[in-house]
Amino acid sequence: MLLSLRSLYNAHEHFEKHYAPTLFPRTDGDPFYVVSPVTLSFDVDGQDTGRYRVAGHLRGELELSCCRCLDPFTMPVATDFDLWYVPRLESAGEGEKQVEEDDLATAFYADDQIDLGHLIMEQFQLALPMKPLCDEACKGLCPQCGTNLNTDSCGCTQEWIDPRLEALKKLKA
């Protein structure tokens, strides 16, 4: 999934790419899995300075785990991106540097190629919600027995008594 920049120096070109979900292998510990074909539509504008502006749209579906009930669910993703690609320098990581606003939209390329797989996974990561929910009304798991309250009910009491206040309860009686 590499895009060669050799023919794009000082030029503009539009790309439409489609990738099968099997190109994004599942590994344990990943917060999501790609479960549908990924569509990547973008424009590349090459500058005479070696910088490339890559702007476009990404569409696909991800499988996530609900943070309340832990059940897997599918989330459609459609996101726009606008990035500047600059050549990676060998000494780029040395010294301290304050992050500027433009740095947040800057990515790096090496060997006159942009790794589109990295771009796709990065955009999916940025599109993830802080707390993925299968449904806004998800009831989650019972804190005592672990039953999924969306599908079953349990006989656990939902009242929690703070053990630190137990002595005060005796004074009231």
Side-chain angles (χ1 to χ4, degrees):
M1 287 190 276
L2 297 175
L3 175 69
S4 175
L5 299 173
R6 288 193 174 103
S7 65
L8 298 173
Y9 186 75
N10 234 1
H12 172 87
E13 195 163 337
H14 179 78
F15 294 92
E16 291 276 339
K17 303 232 179 227
H18 303 280
Y19 299 104
T22 55
L23 293 175
F24 306 95
R26 292 181 177 219
T27 56
D28 290 338
D30 282 345
F32 64 89
Y33 302 111
V34 179
V35 294
S36 74
V38 175
T39 302
L40 185 62
S41 172
F42 61 99
D43 293 311
V44 177
D45 291 307
Q47 309 289 316
D48 57 1
T49 59
R51 293 172 44 124
Y52 294 87
R53 181 176 181 214
V54 179
H57 186 76
L58 172 70
R59 189 180 11 243
E61 287 185 344
L62 305 177
E63 182 179 291
L64 304 162
S65 290
C66 178
C67 68
R68 288 186 191 159
C69 68
L70 305 179
D71 281 348
F73 71 98
T74 301
M75 180 182 93
V77 174
T79 186
D80 295 321
F81 58 90
D82 191 353
L83 300 169
W84 282 98
Y85 276 85
V86 296
R88 180 178 309 278
L89 302 174
E90 295 299 322
S91 63
E94 295 178 12
E96 291 186 24
K97 181 183 176 213
Q98 183 174 348
V99 176
E100 303 293 333
E101 185 70 28
D102 289 344
D103 294 338
L104 299 176
T106 302
F108 299 97
Y109 69 88
D111 301 325
D112 289 329
Q113 295 179 331
I114 293 177
D115 184 356
L116 296 177
H118 183 267
L119 175 125
I120 290 168
M121 295 305 281
E122 179 181 66
Q123 293 305 311
F124 279 150
Q125 282 279 354
L126 292 171
L128 292 178
M130 290 290 281
K131 294 198 178 250
L133 295 175
C134 60
D135 185 12
E136 286 294 323
C138 178
K139 296 175 185 174
L141 302 175
C142 173
Q144 293 173 351
C145 69
T147 300
N148 185 341
L149 298 175
N150 295 316
T151 57
D152 291 324
S153 60
C154 64
C156 299
T157 59
Q158 298 301 323
E159 182 182 345
W160 180 74
I161 299 172
D162 190 341
R164 298 171 293 180
L165 301 177
E166 194 65 37
L168 291 176
K169 214 174 188 190
K170 292 177 186 173
L171 291 175
K172 186 178 175 187

Coordinates of all heavy atoms in Angstrom, one line a residue, residues 66-123:
C66 N -17.8 -2.6 23.0 CA -18.5 -1.6 23.8 C -17.9 -1.5 25.1 O -17.5 -2.5 25.8 CB -20.0 -2.0 23.9 SG -21.0 -0.9 24.9
C67 N -17.7 -0.2 25.6 CA -17.0 0.0 26.9 C -17.9 -0.3 28.1 O -17.4 -0.4 29.2 CB -16.4 1.4 26.9 SG -17.6 2.7 27.0
R68 N -19.2 -0.5 27.8 CA -20.1 -0.8 28.9 C -20.4 -2.3 29.0 O -20.4 -2.9 30.1 CB -21.5 -0.1 28.8 CG -21.3 1.4 29.1 CD -22.7 2.1 29.0 NE -22.6 3.5 29.0 CZ -23.5 4.3 28.6 NH1 -24.7 3.9 28.1 NH2 -23.3 5.6 28.7
C69 N -20.8 -3.0 27.9 CA -21.2 -4.4 28.0 C -20.1 -5.3 27.4 O -20.3 -6.5 27.5 CB -22.5 -4.6 27.2 SG -22.4 -4.3 25.5
L70 N -19.1 -4.8 26.8 CA -18.0 -5.5 26.2 C -18.3 -6.3 25.0 O -17.5 -7.1 24.5 CB -17.3 -6.4 27.2 CG -16.8 -5.7 28.5 CD1 -16.2 -6.8 29.5 CD2 -15.8 -4.6 28.2
D71 N -19.6 -6.2 24.5 CA -20.0 -6.9 23.2 C -19.4 -6.2 22.0 O -19.3 -5.0 22.0 CB -21.5 -6.9 23.1 CG -22.1 -8.0 24.0 OD1 -21.4 -8.8 24.5 OD2 -23.4 -7.9 24.1
P72 N -19.0 -7.0 21.0 CA -18.5 -6.3 19.8 C -19.6 -5.7 19.0 O -20.7 -6.2 19.0 CB -17.8 -7.5 19.0 CG -18.5 -8.7 19.5 CD -18.9 -8.4 20.9
F73 N -19.3 -4.6 18.3 CA -20.3 -3.9 17.4 C -19.5 -3.3 16.3 O -18.3 -3.1 16.3 CB -21.1 -2.9 18.2 CG -20.4 -1.7 18.6 CD1 -20.5 -0.5 17.8 CD2 -19.6 -1.7 19.7 CE1 -19.8 0.6 18.2 CE2 -18.9 -0.5 20.1 CZ -19.0 0.6 19.4
T74 N -20.3 -3.0 15.2 CA -19.7 -2.4 14.0 C -20.0 -0.9 14.0 O -21.1 -0.5 14.2 CB -20.2 -3.1 12.8 OG1 -19.9 -4.5 12.8 CG2 -19.6 -2.5 11.5
M75 N -19.0 -0.1 13.7 CA -19.1 1.3 13.6 C -18.7 1.8 12.2 O -17.5 1.5 11.8 CB -18.3 2.0 14.7 CG -18.4 3.5 14.7 SD -17.3 4.3 15.9 CE -15.9 4.6 14.9
P76 N -19.5 2.5 11.5 CA -19.1 3.0 10.2 C -18.2 4.2 10.4 O -18.5 5.0 11.4 CB -20.4 3.4 9.5 CG -21.4 3.5 10.6 CD -21.0 2.7 11.7
V77 N -17.2 4.4 9.6 CA -16.3 5.6 9.7 C -16.3 6.2 8.3 O -16.1 5.6 7.3 CB -14.9 5.1 10.1 CG1 -13.9 6.3 10.1 CG2 -14.9 4.5 11.5
A78 N -16.5 7.5 8.3 CA -16.3 8.4 7.1 C -15.6 9.6 7.6 O -16.2 10.4 8.4 CB -17.6 8.6 6.5
T79 N -14.4 9.8 7.2 CA -13.7 11.0 7.7 C -12.8 11.6 6.6 O -12.4 11.0 5.7 CB -12.8 10.5 8.9 OG1 -12.1 11.7 9.5 CG2 -11.7 9.6 8.5
D80 N -12.7 12.9 6.8 CA -11.8 13.7 5.8 C -10.5 13.9 6.5 O -10.3 14.0 7.7 CB -12.5 15.0 5.5 CG -13.8 14.9 4.8 OD1 -13.9 14.0 3.9 OD2 -14.7 15.7 5.1
F81 N -9.5 14.1 5.6 CA -8.1 14.4 6.1 C -7.4 15.3 5.2 O -7.8 15.4 4.0 CB -7.3 13.1 6.3 CG -7.1 12.3 5.1 CD1 -6.1 12.5 4.2 CD2 -8.1 11.3 4.7 CE1 -6.0 11.8 3.0 CE2 -7.9 10.5 3.6 CZ -6.9 10.8 2.7
D82 N -6.5 16.1 5.8 CA -5.7 17.1 5.0 C -4.3 17.1 5.7 O -4.2 17.7 6.7 CB -6.4 18.4 5.0 CG -5.8 19.4 4.1 OD1 -4.7 19.1 3.5 OD2 -6.3 20.5 3.9
L83 N -3.4 16.5 5.0 CA -2.0 16.3 5.6 C -0.9 16.9 4.7 O -1.1 16.9 3.4 CB -1.7 14.9 5.9 CG -2.7 14.1 6.8 CD1 -2.4 12.6 6.8 CD2 -2.5 14.7 8.2
W84 N 0.1 17.3 5.3 CA 1.3 17.7 4.5 C 2.4 16.6 4.8 O 2.7 16.3 5.9 CB 1.9 19.0 5.0 CG 1.1 20.2 4.4 CD1 0.1 20.9 5.0 CD2 1.3 20.7 3.1 NE1 -0.3 21.8 4.2 CE2 0.4 21.8 3.0 CE3 2.1 20.5 2.1 CZ2 0.3 22.6 1.9 CZ3 2.0 21.3 0.9 CH2 1.1 22.3 0.8
Y85 N 2.9 16.0 3.7 CA 4.0 15.0 3.9 C 5.3 15.7 3.5 O 5.5 16.4 2.5 CB 3.8 13.9 2.9 CG 2.8 12.8 3.5 CD1 1.5 13.0 3.4 CD2 3.3 11.8 4.2 CE1 0.6 12.1 4.0 CE2 2.5 10.8 4.8 CZ 1.1 11.0 4.7 OH 0.3 10.1 5.2
V86 N 6.3 15.5 4.4 CA 7.6 16.1 4.2 C 8.6 14.9 4.3 O 8.3 13.9 5.0 CB 8.0 17.2 5.3 CG1 7.0 18.4 5.1 CG2 7.9 16.7 6.7
P87 N 9.8 15.1 3.7 CA 10.8 14.0 3.8 C 11.3 13.8 5.2 O 11.5 14.7 6.0 CB 11.9 14.4 2.9 CG 11.6 15.8 2.4 CD 10.3 16.2 2.9
R88 N 11.4 12.5 5.6 CA 11.9 12.2 6.9 C 13.5 12.4 6.9 O 14.2 11.9 6.0 CB 11.6 10.7 7.3 CG 12.2 10.3 8.7 CD 11.8 8.9 9.0 NE 10.4 8.6 8.8 CZ 9.4 8.8 9.7 NH1 9.7 9.4 10.8 NH2 8.2 8.5 9.5
L89 N 13.9 13.1 7.9 CA 15.4 13.4 8.0 C 15.9 12.5 9.1 O 15.3 12.2 10.1 CB 15.6 14.9 8.4 CG 15.0 15.9 7.4 CD1 15.2 17.3 7.9 CD2 15.7 15.8 6.0
E90 N 17.2 12.1 8.9 CA 17.8 11.2 9.9 C 18.0 11.9 11.2 O 17.9 11.2 12.3 CB 19.2 10.8 9.4 CG 19.2 10.0 8.1 CD 18.4 8.7 8.3 OE1 18.6 8.0 9.4 OE2 17.7 8.3 7.4
S91 N 18.1 13.2 11.3 CA 18.3 13.9 12.6 C 17.1 14.5 13.1 O 17.1 15.4 14.0 CB 19.4 15.0 12.4 OG 19.0 15.9 11.5
A92 N 15.9 14.1 12.6 CA 14.7 14.8 13.0 C 14.3 14.6 14.4 O 13.6 15.4 15.0 CB 13.5 14.2 12.1
G93 N 14.8 13.5 15.1 CA 14.3 13.3 16.5 C 15.3 13.8 17.5 O 15.1 13.7 18.7
E94 N 16.3 14.6 17.1 CA 17.3 15.1 18.1 C 16.9 16.4 18.6 O 16.3 17.3 17.9 CB 18.7 15.2 17.4 CG 19.2 13.9 17.0 CD 20.6 14.0 16.3 OE1 21.1 15.1 16.3 OE2 21.0 13.1 15.7
G95 N 17.1 16.6 19.9 CA 16.8 17.9 20.6 C 15.3 18.1 20.9 O 14.5 17.3 20.5
E96 N 15.1 19.1 21.6 CA 13.7 19.4 22.0 C 13.1 20.5 21.1 O 13.8 21.3 20.6 CB 13.7 20.0 23.4 CG 14.0 19.0 24.5 CD 13.9 19.5 25.9 OE1 13.1 20.5 26.1 OE2 14.5 19.0 26.8
K97 N 11.8 20.3 20.8 CA 11.2 21.3 19.9 C 9.7 21.4 20.4 O 9.1 20.4 20.8 CB 11.2 20.7 18.5 CG 10.6 21.7 17.5 CD 10.6 21.1 16.1 CE 9.8 22.0 15.2 NZ 9.1 21.4 14.2
Q98 N 9.2 22.6 20.4 CA 7.8 22.8 20.8 C 7.0 22.5 19.6 O 7.3 22.8 18.5 CB 7.6 24.3 21.2 CG 6.2 24.6 21.6 CD 6.1 26.0 22.2 OE1 7.1 26.7 22.4 NE2 4.8 26.4 22.3
V99 N 5.9 21.8 19.9 CA 4.9 21.4 18.8 C 4.1 22.6 18.4 O 3.5 23.2 19.2 CB 4.0 20.2 19.3 CG1 3.0 19.9 18.2 CG2 4.9 19.0 19.6
E100 N 4.1 22.9 17.1 CA 3.3 24.0 16.6 C 2.1 23.5 16.0 O 1.9 22.3 15.8 CB 4.2 24.7 15.5 CG 5.5 25.3 16.0 CD 5.4 26.4 17.0 OE1 4.4 27.1 17.0 OE2 6.3 26.5 17.8
E101 N 1.1 24.4 15.7 CA -0.2 24.0 15.1 C 0.0 23.3 13.8 O -0.7 22.3 13.5 CB -1.0 25.2 14.9 CG -2.4 24.9 14.5 CD -3.3 24.2 15.5 OE1 -3.1 24.4 16.7 OE2 -4.2 23.5 15.1
D102 N 0.9 23.7 12.9 CA 1.1 23.1 11.6 C 1.7 21.7 11.8 O 1.5 20.8 10.9 CB 2.1 23.9 10.8 CG 1.5 25.2 10.3 OD1 0.2 25.3 10.4 OD2 2.2 26.1 9.9
D103 N 2.4 21.4 12.9 CA 3.0 20.1 13.1 C 1.9 19.0 13.2 O 2.2 17.8 13.0 CB 3.9 20.1 14.3 CG 5.1 20.9 14.1 OD1 5.5 21.2 13.0 OD2 5.7 21.4 15.2
L104 N 0.7 19.3 13.7 CA -0.3 18.3 13.9 C -0.8 17.8 12.6 O -1.4 16.7 12.5 CB -1.5 18.9 14.7 CG -1.1 19.4 16.1 CD1 -2.2 20.1 16.8 CD2 -0.5 18.3 16.9
A105 N -0.6 18.5 11.5 CA -1.1 18.0 10.2 C 0.1 17.7 9.3 O 0.0 17.7 8.1 CB -1.9 19.1 9.5
T106 N 1.2 17.3 9.9 CA 2.4 17.0 9.1 C 2.7 15.5 9.4 O 2.7 15.0 10.5 CB 3.6 17.8 9.6 OG1 3.3 19.2 9.4 CG2 4.8 17.5 8.8
A107 N 3.0 14.8 8.3 CA 3.4 13.4 8.3 C 4.7 13.3 7.5 O 5.1 14.3 6.9 CB 2.4 12.5 7.7
F108 N 5.4 12.1 7.6 CA 6.7 12.0 6.9 C 6.6 10.8 5.9 O 5.9 9.9 6.1 CB 7.7 11.7 8.0 CG 7.8 12.8 9.0 CD1 7.2 12.8 10.2 CD2 8.6 13.9 8.7 CE1 7.3 13.8 11.1 CE2 8.7 15.0 9.6 CZ 8.1 14.9 10.8
Y109 N 7.5 11.0 4.9 CA 7.6 9.9 3.9 C 9.1 9.7 3.8 O 10.0 10.5 4.1 CB 7.0 10.3 2.6 CG 7.7 11.4 1.8 CD1 8.8 11.1 0.9 CD2 7.3 12.7 1.9 CE1 9.4 12.1 0.2 CE2 7.9 13.7 1.2 CZ 9.0 13.4 0.4 OH 9.6 14.4 -0.3
A110 N 9.4 8.5 3.3 CA 10.8 8.1 3.1 C 10.9 7.3 1.7 O 9.9 6.7 1.3 CB 11.3 7.2 4.2
D111 N 12.0 7.4 1.1 CA 12.3 6.7 -0.2 C 11.3 7.1 -1.2 O 10.9 6.3 -2.0 CB 12.3 5.2 0.0 CG 13.3 4.7 1.0 OD1 14.4 5.3 1.1 OD2 13.0 3.8 1.8
D112 N 10.8 8.3 -1.3 CA 9.9 8.8 -2.2 C 8.6 8.0 -2.3 O 8.0 7.8 -3.3 CB 10.5 8.9 -3.6 CG 11.6 10.0 -3.8 OD1 11.4 11.0 -3.1 OD2 12.5 9.8 -4.5
Q113 N 8.2 7.5 -1.1 CA 6.9 6.8 -1.0 C 6.1 7.1 0.2 O 6.7 7.3 1.3 CB 7.2 5.3 -1.0 CG 7.8 4.7 -2.2 CD 8.1 3.3 -2.1 OE1 8.4 2.7 -1.0 NE2 8.1 2.6 -3.2
I114 N 4.8 7.2 0.1 CA 3.9 7.4 1.2 C 3.3 6.1 1.6 O 2.7 5.4 0.7 CB 2.8 8.5 0.9 CG1 3.5 9.8 0.7 CG2 1.8 8.5 2.0 CD1 2.5 10.9 0.3
D115 N 3.3 5.7 2.8 CA 2.7 4.5 3.3 C 1.2 4.7 3.5 O 0.8 5.3 4.5 CB 3.4 4.0 4.5 CG 2.8 2.6 5.0 OD1 1.9 2.1 4.4 OD2 3.4 2.1 6.0
L116 N 0.4 4.3 2.5 CA -1.1 4.5 2.7 C -1.7 3.7 3.7 O -2.7 4.1 4.3 CB -1.8 4.3 1.3 CG -1.4 5.2 0.2 CD1 -2.0 4.8 -1.1 CD2 -1.7 6.7 0.5
G117 N -1.1 2.5 4.0 CA -1.6 1.7 5.1 C -1.5 2.4 6.4 O -2.4 2.4 7.3
H118 N -0.4 3.1 6.7 CA -0.2 3.8 7.9 C -1.2 5.0 8.0 O -1.8 5.3 9.0 CB 1.3 4.3 8.0 CG 1.6 5.1 9.2 ND1 1.5 6.4 9.3 CD2 1.9 4.6 10.4 CE1 1.8 6.8 10.5 NE2 2.1 5.7 11.2
L119 N -1.4 5.7 6.8 CA -2.3 6.8 6.8 C -3.7 6.3 7.1 O -4.4 6.9 7.9 CB -2.3 7.4 5.4 CG -3.4 8.5 5.2 CD1 -2.7 9.8 4.7 CD2 -4.4 8.1 4.2
I120 N -4.2 5.2 6.6 CA -5.5 4.6 6.8 C -5.7 4.3 8.3 O -6.6 4.7 9.0 CB -5.8 3.4 6.0 CG1 -5.9 3.8 4.5 CG2 -7.0 2.7 6.4 CD1 -5.9 2.7 3.5
M121 N -4.7 3.6 8.9 CA -4.8 3.2 10.3 C -4.8 4.4 11.2 O -5.5 4.4 12.2 CB -3.7 2.2 10.6 CG -3.9 0.9 9.9 SD -5.5 0.1 10.1 CE -5.3 -0.7 11.7
E122 N -4.0 5.4 10.9 CA -3.9 6.6 11.7 C -5.3 7.3 11.7 O -5.7 7.8 12.7 CB -2.8 7.5 11.2 CG -2.7 8.8 11.9 CD -1.6 9.6 11.3 OE1 -1.7 10.1 10.2 OE2 -0.6 9.9 12.0
Q123 N -5.9 7.4 10.5 CA -7.2 8.1 10.4 C -8.3 7.4 11.1 O -9.1 7.9 11.7 CB -7.5 8.4 8.9 CG -6.6 9.3 8.2 CD -6.5 10.7 8.9 OE1 -7.5 11.3 9.3 NE2 -5.3 11.1 9.2

